Amino acid sequence: MKKITALALALALLLSMASFAVAEPEYNPDAIYMVSSTDDPTHMDPILCSDGQSTTITALVYSALIGYNLDGTLYGDVAESWEVSDDALTYTFHIRPGIKFHDGTDCDAYAVKWNWDRVVPANGIDTSNLPYAELFFSDVATYEATDASTFVVTLSKPNNAFLTMIGSCSLAAGLVSPTAYEADPEGFDKHPVGCGPYKFVEWVSGQYVQLERYDDYHLGQVANAGVIVRIIPEANTAVNELLTGGIHSLNYMTEDDYATIENSGTADMMSYQGNTLSIMSFADYEKNPLFSDIRLRQAVGYALDFDTIVAALYGDSMETATSAIPFLMAGGSYDGYTSIGYDPDKAKELMAEAGYPDGFEFTLMTYNVVKGYNPAAEKLAVTIQSELAKVGITVNLKIVSPWSEFLNVIYTDPISDDPAEHYDVVLHGWGADYNDTSNILFLFSDDEIGGGANHSGYADPEFNEYFDNGIQSTSYEEATEWYIKAAQKLNDDVPVYIIAHGVDHIATSKLILNAEECFGGIGNHTWQVKLAK
């Protein structure tokens, strides 16, 4: 009997080991990576891009001179190496040999120059409709391709964020095929051609964008056969698709979805400190009869308990801000910031001083899709409306949909003679495109007024001086000191309220074999995602 029992146990163990071996997922290099976006891309020509729906696509189609590792450090992309002169003004980039765009034409130093001809302000081009041209290239004095493999750039002044900025392949630093663009300038925005890891195949509006693996990608073999970006506006629908295998990863979801995902058995949650901020801007406030008075801007802040609001709406997804700088960036963790706190009586006192003892009325505009920097914008708007009513402030809500229309509205002059276009305050946000504090504080510089990201129209010389000094600093420590001063000046002047900073979450299917190597940091590493059969 003992022998039979021992034999049975041994057989059971062997069967268990065999079933475990069968269950072990096997890598499938020909699998299609499925992901979702809340809306169609607005643009696919990188120099026109400014929103996440667009950069979801352009980050996969294009390359830039520089790339980002997950930890934010830089690596050579199209440029395999570079040198910087002692005075920090001249950059010499050495272009990798043999790189081809998706149409088979050369991506060499001459192609890089052609791309920069489209965006460098020193060329005298109109950059008003090119969201990142001024930011990335305003300090470029000269540039030239000295031969096919060498590209030399000289700046007008030091800029310690320059290399980081020109690593933004999804935005104005992305390199497009000159041949493809010149063959169809009007149509290129819908039929992009770059030299990134994926080639554009098809865009069916409202349904999906399809990309396929580029077998001649210069950084190596792409680990999957392609990407399909499905357009799924509703977060609940996207979560269901993740759990049932319709998509492989998801970075927009509500707090209520986290436990569902973690307990599903088919997906995992990753969380990490983010570089986003949720913003409430007083739109072009100096033109506004109400909010040109700082006392009324202050009153709004004193009437809102942001700690309680953020905790109630976002739980662990966001942290109440102390400044505009996310906590993980230089200057973000400084503990000496002062800002307006919750004091309803002070709000009423300021309103009375400003001539509105019985309160006042304004229009608040926002969107209704889930964004990483604000997963519940409409709920936030309703909460603000309810809280301000307690001190006599009436808020009229304006919810703009779809996302592309919201962008269209906020990137035009909000103070209009047309009542249908008018709004006084806007809820919006930002996620840093690269890991540098300058990509947060630039939002409030006067360079971004009029078609840019400075929706409050804030134009303070002292703030601009602090910001410029930070950009031009030659040491990390010195730059941080200037950025802290700039952030405090923003707190003092109240052109905006920085409500919270995001804690980033991404849900990944268990069919992704190397999720920790590809997600949870800077840059886009989709081309390295390995999927199981």
Side-chain angles (χ1 to χ4, degrees):
M1 180 69 70
K2 289 181 180 180
K3 288 183 179 180
I4 294 173
T5 303
L7 178 61
L9 287 172
L11 287 171
L13 180 59
L14 286 171
L15 287 170
S16 173
M17 292 173 65
S19 64
F20 176 79
V22 170
E24 186 71 21
E26 184 180 349
Y27 167 48
N28 178 15
D30 294 321
I32 302 292
Y33 177 56
M34 307 289 286
V35 68
S36 65
S37 179
T38 57
D39 207 340
D40 284 315
T42 306
H43 296 286
M44 290 189 288
D45 183 340
I47 71 171
L48 301 174
C49 292
S50 64
D51 64 291
Q53 286 73 10
S54 297
T55 58
T56 295
I57 310 300
T58 55
L60 305 177
V61 173
Y62 299 107
S63 293
L65 288 171
I66 307 293
Y68 307 135
N69 293 306
L70 277 179
D71 63 2
T73 56
L74 304 177
Y75 67 83
D77 190 348
V78 168
E80 62 182 349
S81 63
W82 62 90
E83 295 100 33
V84 184
S85 63
D86 292 341
D87 61 5
L89 292 177
T90 301
Y91 293 72
T92 302
F93 298 96
H94 303 285
I95 309 303
R96 292 180 192 273
I99 299 178
K100 300 288 185 181
F101 287 108
H102 301 153
D103 58 3
T105 58
D106 292 335
C107 180
D108 55 17
Y110 299 118
V112 175
K113 180 186 181 303
W114 181 96
N115 274 269
W116 283 42
D117 287 344
R118 298 201 302 157
V119 290
V120 173
N123 293 328
I125 61 174
D126 179 7
T127 60
S128 60
N129 294 318
L130 308 180
Y132 283 85
E134 286 286 344
L135 175 64
F136 289 178
F137 301 103
S138 61
D139 292 336
V140 174
T142 64
Y143 58 94
E144 63 176 329
T146 57
D147 55 44
S149 61
T150 310
F151 186 64
V152 181
V153 180
T154 301
L155 303 184
S156 58
K157 58 187 177 183
N159 184 333
N160 55 40
F162 177 66
L163 286 174
T164 310
M165 289 190 293
I166 63 170
S168 299
C169 68
S170 59
L171 299 167
L175 301 173
V176 314
S177 163
T179 302
Y181 184 89
E182 289 175 349
D184 185 12
E186 297 299 321
F188 185 87
D189 198 25
K190 293 186 189 242
H191 298 87
V193 179
C195 63
Y198 298 96
K199 298 189 292 184
F200 174 79
V201 176
E202 183 181 30
W203 173 17
V204 179
S205 181
Q207 297 186 45
Y208 63 85
V209 177
Q210 181 181 358
L211 310 173
E212 68 180 14
R213 173 172 58 208
Y214 181 42
D215 289 329
D216 293 324
Y217 183 47
H218 56 276
L219 293 183
Q221 180 64 38
V222 178
N224 47 71
V227 179
I228 293 179
V229 180
R230 297 181 55 198
I231 311 303
I232 308 176
E234 302 82 12
N236 288 341
T237 303
V239 170
N240 289 334
E241 289 293 324
L242 174 75
L243 300 183
T244 57
I247 57 175
H248 293 115
S249 66
L250 179 64
N251 62 1
Y252 61 101
M253 64 210 88
T254 66
E255 180 83 13
D256 295 338
D257 294 324
Y258 299 158
T260 301
I261 292 168
E262 288 179 324
N263 296 329
S264 68
T266 61
D268 296 314
M269 288 290 300
M270 296 173 61
S271 300
Y272 50 99
Q273 200 162 49
N275 57 6
T276 62
L277 55 163
S278 177
I279 309 170
M280 181 170 69
S281 288
F282 296 96
D284 282 0
Y285 68 94
E286 290 188 343
K287 302 178 186 177
N288 191 304
L290 282 173
F291 293 121
S292 57
D293 189 328
I294 191 174
R295 293 172 295 186
L296 296 182
R297 304 198 303 275
Q298 292 170 331
V300 169
Y302 279 118
L304 295 171
D305 184 353
F306 286 122
D307 285 333
T308 300
I309 290 170
V310 169
L313 289 181
Y314 308 116
D316 295 332
S317 294
M318 303 196 82
E319 298 177 83
T320 307
T322 58
S323 80
I325 308 173
F327 298 112
L328 75 133
M329 287 186 162
S333 60
Y334 174 65
D335 61 6
Y337 290 116
T338 59
S339 58
I340 289 172
Y342 180 52
D343 188 342
D345 291 335
K346 182 67 174 178
K348 293 176 183 177
E349 178 185 325
L350 287 169
M351 287 192 293
E353 286 181 10
Y356 294 90
D358 299 320
F360 58 93
E361 183 175 353
F362 71 87
T363 297
L364 172 67
M365 186 183 76
T366 193
Y367 52 90
N368 64 353
V369 297
V370 175
K371 300 291 289 182
Y373 49 69
N374 190 345
E378 191 167 356
K379 287 183 180 179
L380 176 59
V382 171
T383 301
I384 289 172
Q385 180 187 50
S386 174
E387 292 301 304
L388 292 183
K390 295 176 183 178
V391 297
I393 301 175
T394 300
V395 178
N396 303 309
L397 298 185
K398 181 176 181 178
I399 311 300
V400 179
S401 180
W403 171 251
S404 56
E405 178 59 22
F406 175 77
L407 289 180
N408 181 59
V409 173
I410 66 170
Y411 282 99
T412 57
D413 185 358
I415 306 302
S416 169
D417 293 332
D418 182 352
E421 296 179 0
H422 179 78
Y423 63 95
D424 304 288
V425 177
V426 57
L427 293 177
H428 59 111
W430 186 259
D433 305 301
Y434 48 89
N435 193 33
D436 192 274
T437 303
S438 63
N439 191 234
I440 296 296
L441 294 182
F442 92 99
L443 296 169
F444 314 104
S445 69
D446 54 10
D447 286 340
E448 287 297 305
I449 297 173
N454 186 345
H455 303 303
S456 69
Y458 184 54
D460 182 77
E462 192 172 354
F463 172 89
N464 287 322
E465 179 185 355
Y466 296 155
F467 175 64
D468 290 343
N469 286 345
I471 282 279
Q472 296 177 49
S473 296
T474 56
S475 74
Y476 181 86
E477 293 76 13
E478 181 185 355
T480 300
E481 291 177 4
W482 285 115
Y483 289 148
I484 287 171
K485 289 183 178 181
Q488 182 59 56
K489 189 69 168 64
L490 197 69
N491 282 2
D492 295 341
D493 293 346
V494 205
V496 302
Y497 280 103
I498 310 302
I499 298 171
H501 298 299
V503 176
D504 290 343
H505 304 277
I506 185 166
T508 59
S509 166
K510 291 185 182 294
L511 293 174
I512 298 177
L513 303 179
N514 59 342
E516 291 188 359
E517 299 172 17
C518 302
F519 304 104
I522 304 298
N524 193 304
H525 302 271
T526 299
W527 70 279
Q528 297 170 315
V529 169
K530 294 181 178 180
L531 295 165
K533 288 185 176 178

